[in-house]
Amino acid sequence: MDFLTLKYLKPKNIEEIIDLSIDIKKNPEKYSQAAKGKTLAMLFQKTSTRTRCSFETAMTQMGGHGQYLDWRTTNFTLGALRDEIRCLERYVDIIMARVYKQKDLEVMALFSRVPVINGLSDMYHPCQALADLLTIKEKMGGFDGVKLAFVGDGNNVCHSLILACAKMGIKISVATPAGYEPSPEVVSAVKKYNKLTLTHNPKEAVNAADIVYTDTWVSMGQEAEKEKRLKVFRPYQVNRDLLGSSNPLIMHCLPAHRGYEITDEVLDSPYSVVFDQAENRLHVQKALILKLLQ
Ligand code: CP
Ligand code: NVA
């Protein structure tokens, strides 16, 4: 089994990962040998703090090993992707990759006999969404009746969050500028759950929301569009004026661009749970690794 997107996972399977992560977080010692002798290859085309460090530490704390591979210093830059993967999978028990194209992950999964995890692509960031769900469950006591607003770019983080929320019964309203809406593929995948609302009006999205979530306006790989994006997204900043007198929980996958998609005041407010959210990457990825190694 691979973990490239939440699209094909049943709500029951997502719930199992979250529940296991809660036990792991409570009793880390119980899992200190759970990945004994196992190696996770961690292949990166893009930079990372949280994904790299949480995966590497997850393996160490479970008695296994995380092997960091910067794409540019490997012969993935020279050989065919399928050939390099067919070698890598002979050395390791599981592979996590952060790439530009989701298609490359699909090629890796096709040619690897060991599980492949999406550590972020231009289309999805499913590990982030698992940590988001764990954080929501901890802070809100469950998923039923929770309303989340995502304000900003209909990007990879937004896509995985839509799939995660809709499948777990969280109402999600997404406010983006015109032309930056989430992909129709994601929107149609969650239609049957009837939990997603799309709007161009950020005030409308955050109205009565328990949680307000945002992410960068310029994702890795979009640097050439930076100037244009900073202008288009300006009215979508999560700031005190947008929130009015409400005090929803504030979520952000990080890294945050202070003064752009979110102000210091909101990010540093007592309602901000961004660092708990970042910590939860560790716990939930341990659960994911153990499920995939099973
Ligand atoms: N949220 C997240 O994936 O952070 P990094 O890009 O630092 O891994
Ligand atoms: N949307 C961002 C997320 C970073 C964790 C990006 O892809 O750069």
Side-chain angles (χ1 to χ4, degrees):
M1 208 181 99
D2 302 295
F3 184 70
L4 304 189
T5 165
L6 292 170
K7 196 168 159 190
Y8 307 109
L9 274 196
K10 294 194 179 75
K12 190 175 95 24
N13 304 130
I14 300 176
E15 186 110 53
E16 278 169 12
I17 298 171
I18 302 302
D19 288 346
L20 177 59
S21 73
I22 292 170
D23 191 53
I24 293 173
K25 187 171 178 176
K26 228 188 280 166
N27 309 295
E29 278 306 315
K30 195 169 129 193
Y31 297 88
S32 66
Q33 298 301 307
K36 189 166 190 267
K38 304 288 184 192
T39 301
L40 165 77
M42 311 189 303
L43 188 54
F44 284 87
Q45 289 181 345
K46 303 173 178 173
T47 51
S48 168
T49 304
R50 280 144 291 271
T51 304
R52 179 202 171 162
C53 300
S54 55
F55 267 107
E56 195 166 326
T57 300
M59 288 306 283
T60 304
Q61 292 184 352
M62 296 196 296
H65 175 61
Q67 190 175 73
Y68 176 72
L69 297 162
D70 180 338
W71 185 274
R72 292 160 301 182
T73 62
T74 65
N75 280 338
F76 277 88
T77 53
L78 299 179
L81 178 56
R82 60 180 185 273
D83 294 337
E84 296 303 296
I85 280 292
R86 285 171 78 185
C87 298
L88 185 60
E89 63 109 40
R90 292 188 179 217
Y91 308 132
V92 303
D93 303 282
I94 185 162
I95 295 168
M96 183 271 290
R98 168 167 286 193
V99 298
Y100 287 95
K101 298 192 219 104
Q102 179 77 8
K103 188 92 203 133
D104 282 350
L105 289 169
E106 287 163 17
V107 172
M108 289 182 196
L110 191 65
F111 288 95
S112 167
R113 290 165 302 176
V114 304
V116 177
I117 297 174
N118 180 355
L120 180 148
S121 70
D122 285 0
M123 187 64 185
Y124 294 116
H125 197 359
C127 296
Q128 181 64 52
L130 290 180
D132 299 341
L133 286 177
L134 173 58
T135 310
I136 293 168
K137 191 160 184 173
E138 285 176 344
K139 304 291 176 190
M140 303 298 297
F143 303 129
D144 275 356
V146 173
K147 190 189 165 210
L148 183 149
F150 181 94
V151 179
D153 190 14
N155 64 11
N156 46 7
V157 168
C158 177
H159 290 160
S160 290
L161 193 64
I162 289 173
L163 291 166
C165 287
K167 289 188 183 215
M168 302 319 288
I170 298 168
K171 276 197 203 138
I172 171 163
S173 89
V174 174
T176 66
Y180 296 87
E181 296 88 354
S183 142
E185 184 187 324
V186 174
V187 175
S188 73
V190 299
K191 216 175 182 117
K192 66 175 180 183
Y193 299 101
N194 202 22
K195 294 287 173 197
L196 172 66
T197 314
L198 300 179
T199 174
H200 296 133
N201 183 341
K203 278 261 183 210
E204 190 183 304
V206 304
N207 180 38
D210 302 297
I211 304 166
V212 173
Y213 196 127
T214 189
D215 180 23
T216 184
W217 296 336
V218 187
S219 284
M220 291 178 271
Q222 296 174 334
E223 291 77 11
E225 298 170 36
K226 185 171 172 184
E227 213 174 313
K228 179 176 165 213
R229 283 177 164 266
L230 294 190
K231 266 191 215 128
V232 173
F233 282 95
R234 187 73 212 166
Y236 292 79
Q237 184 184 65
V238 175
N239 54 31
R240 187 32 65 192
D241 180 49
L242 177 68
L243 301 178
S245 58
S246 70
N247 282 310
L249 291 184
I250 300 300
M251 294 182 74
H252 192 307
C253 57
L254 304 179
H257 304 76
R258 290 170 175 265
Y260 292 91
E261 75 270 10
I262 192 162
T263 56
D264 287 337
E265 189 190 5
V266 172
L267 192 69
D268 297 330
S269 80
Y271 304 98
S272 169
V273 296
V274 298
F275 300 110
D276 293 330
Q277 197 185 342
E279 180 192 325
N280 280 338
R281 297 289 305 275
L282 172 67
H283 309 297
V284 94
Q285 285 158 199
K286 283 183 182 175
L288 176 66
I289 291 165
L290 294 182
K291 287 275 178 201
L292 293 176
L293 285 177
Q294 253 169 26

